[in-house]
Amino acid sequence: MCMLRRDFILSFTSVAAFLLSVRKQCTAFVQPASLTTSNIHVPVVELHALPPLPDLSHVGSFLISASNDIGIEEAFKDDIQFIDPTIKLELGVFAAVVLLLVAASALLGQMDNAIEKVLGDFEKTMKSKYASKWIEIEDELEGLGSAERTQKLGAIMERMQKEEPKLMERVNADMASFN
């Protein structure tokens, strides 16, 4: 706080000294009316617009008392706490979010594996026991990539569940017998 006050006072005195010198320089460059020629008319500018400067007679005593300042070695010895309650809370929330994301990733991976296993069992069952129906399904799957084929096969299973529930009951029973 003392250094801040000292810096403010030094800045204020520097600005005041600058304003005084500028005021003197501006009046020095005003061209007197006697130097004007008959062809060139230069208006005479008077600088009465600047406000009077404040009384700075008391500033010297502050500067003298602030001159016994501590050194730069002592200036940055603040006690910094890296693990304050706010940082602990933020780290805890971050860790919880990371754990949730890892758990969700693992769960989604297991779900993907289970879906692919069911689709594989469905395909084996349809090929071995329902070949005529599989030929129709295979025509729909022709020319698709791996991911697109998996999605399309899942959609076909859902459609068959709605349109042919009795057939899907038999297919599900046959799939269970494979396991």
Side-chain angles (χ1 to χ4, degrees), residues 3 10 16 23 34 40 65 67 74 85 88 97 113 120 128 136:
M3 289 184 66
L10 288 173
R23 187 174 188 179
S34 63
I40 302 172
S65 65
S67 65
E74 300 292 322
K88 284 182 184 177
V97 168
N113 291 338
S128 65
E136 296 173 20

Side-chain angles (χ1 to χ4, degrees), residues 86-107:
T86 305
I87 293 176
K88 284 182 184 177
L89 177 66
E90 290 173 354
L91 288 175
V93 169
F94 177 74
V97 168
V98 168
L99 286 175
L100 285 174
L101 290 175
V102 167
S105 175
L107 181 64

Side-chain angles (χ1 to χ4, degrees), residues 125 129 171-179:
T125 303
K129 296 195 177 187
V171 170
N172 285 335
D174 292 338
M175 285 172 45
S177 68
F178 272 134
N179 295 327

Side-chain angles (χ1 to χ4, degrees), residues 102-179:
V102 167
S105 175
L107 181 64
L108 289 175
Q110 288 179 351
M111 286 176 57
D112 286 344
N113 291 338
I115 290 171
E116 288 192 21
K117 183 181 181 312
V118 168
L119 291 177
D121 290 347
F122 176 74
E123 188 173 343
K124 286 181 201 173
T125 303
M126 293 300 290
K127 283 181 180 178
S128 65
K129 296 195 177 187
Y130 306 97
S132 61
K133 188 69 174 172
W134 178 250
I135 292 172
E136 296 173 20
I137 294 172
E138 201 168 35
D139 290 341
E140 291 183 49
L141 299 174
E142 190 174 321
L144 296 176
S146 173
E148 295 169 336
R149 186 176 192 280
T150 302
Q151 284 182 331
K152 184 69 173 180
L153 190 57
I156 290 170
M157 280 182 68
E158 289 177 12
R159 186 184 71 215
M160 286 177 64
Q161 186 69 36
K162 290 178 185 173
E163 294 174 358
E164 303 174 54
K166 299 244 187 233
L167 174 64
M168 283 305 291
E169 283 179 22
R170 288 190 311 231
V171 170
N172 285 335
D174 292 338
M175 285 172 45
S177 68
F178 272 134
N179 295 327

